Amino acid sequence: MISLEYYGHSNFRLTKNDISLLFDPFFTGNPVNTANPEEIDCKYILVSHAHGDHIGDAISIAKRTGATIISSFEIAVMAGEEGCKSHGMHIGGKHSFEFGSVRLTTALHGSGISGGHACGFVVNFFGINIYFAGDTGLFGDMELIGRMDKLDYALLPIGDNYTMGPNEAAQAAGLLKPKAVIPMHYNTWPLIDQSPEEFKKNVEGEFGTPVHILTPGETLRLA
Ligand code: NI
Ligand code: MN
């Protein structure tokens, strides 16, 4: 069984058996989080960029659990200096891990760290392809991302203001052509309040792609 747990904002945990992978582990200070970061177990932590609502508790969780932080070179070096295990990559590159592989993708956003770039990830996790867009605006090369790896799930920000809003994210779904979409990065603060139900209706109506709305604390079974 492969499961995807949602902790609100862009914070997810992907698990199969004893291998868990966290995306952008923003627990402390996340107003919609329901979990205790001191009880979160994982082997890998993927960090899309160094803004506080994404790098979040990555360093402290990595120190406590011995998890490896997978991120851009700049963040990996910083995590290494903090005493964490880390694996640096960069946009366009792919690497194999025990669970499958990770490809770093473009994200149109600030890096939050000197000299860096924000990124997204295409993760092959025991045969399931998941695109985690990170924080990004809409870009046409999303079509290429969907062509390189047939996507089972696309995790897309819909909050607007800092990232794509619901209309842009719907067009992203059209370019990526995933089997299903999961919205993220919304309803954490009033500034990014959105209606995921309306987003779901639009994506399903225009592209026929199912949208799974997760509430913080909810777990979706992927396989
Ligand atoms: Ni950001
Ligand atoms: Mn953000």
Side-chain angles (χ1 to χ4, degrees):
M1 180 179 126
I2 296 175
S3 63
L4 185 71
E5 252 172 296
Y6 187 44
Y7 302 110
H9 206 53
S10 300
N11 182 351
F12 295 86
R13 183 170 68 169
L14 191 55
T15 301
K16 181 175 179 174
N17 299 329
D18 61 340
I19 298 184
S20 281
L21 189 159
L22 274 176
F23 290 94
D24 285 357
F26 175 44
F27 294 97
T28 304
N30 176 352
V32 295
N33 163 48
T34 54
N36 179 353
E38 279 158 34
E39 289 168 5
I40 297 289
D41 205 15
C42 64
K43 273 187 99 170
Y44 299 92
I45 305 173
L46 274 63
V47 177
S48 67
H49 63 297
H51 289 157
D53 58 321
H54 295 266
I55 194 162
D57 301 274
I59 299 292
S60 62
I61 294 173
K63 279 185 181 167
R64 179 177 52 78
T65 60
T68 301
I69 293 180
I70 301 171
S71 189
S72 66
F73 178 77
E74 288 77 11
I75 290 174
V77 166
M78 182 271 283
E81 285 168 0
E82 292 280 342
C84 303
K85 269 191 259 170
S86 66
H87 181 99
M89 297 180 64
H90 238 305
I91 291 165
K94 182 179 177 180
H95 186 74
S96 294
F97 293 90
E98 62 179 324
F99 53 81
S101 63
V102 174
R103 181 195 299 280
L104 253 69
T105 65
T106 309
L108 296 181
H109 195 74
S111 68
I113 187 167
S114 176
H117 286 279
C119 70
F121 302 100
V122 175
V123 178
N124 182 285
F125 192 70
F126 297 101
I128 292 186
N129 285 326
I130 296 154
Y131 171 51
F132 176 88
D135 276 2
T136 186
L138 177 65
F139 54 93
D141 285 354
M142 284 180 176
E143 190 181 2
L144 289 173
I145 293 173
R147 212 188 290 170
M148 288 299 297
D149 298 286
K150 291 281 170 222
L151 302 174
D152 294 292
Y153 293 89
L155 279 49
L156 304 176
I158 67 161
D160 219 337
N161 193 75
Y162 302 110
T163 66
M164 296 190 282
N167 292 336
E168 289 83 6
Q171 292 308 310
L175 293 171
L176 292 158
K177 300 184 174 64
K179 286 189 192 139
V181 169
I182 296 170
M184 63 179 182
H185 210 271
Y186 67 96
N187 293 0
T188 318
W189 302 286
L191 187 56
I192 56 171
D193 274 353
Q194 297 296 340
S195 163
E197 291 80 14
E198 205 177 309
F199 171 72
K200 176 179 166 77
K201 203 176 73 191
N202 291 343
V203 173
E204 293 182 349
E206 189 170 350
F207 302 107
T209 309
V211 174
H212 300 291
I213 299 168
L214 300 184
T215 48
E218 190 176 346
T219 300
L220 181 70
R221 188 176 170 167
L222 304 189

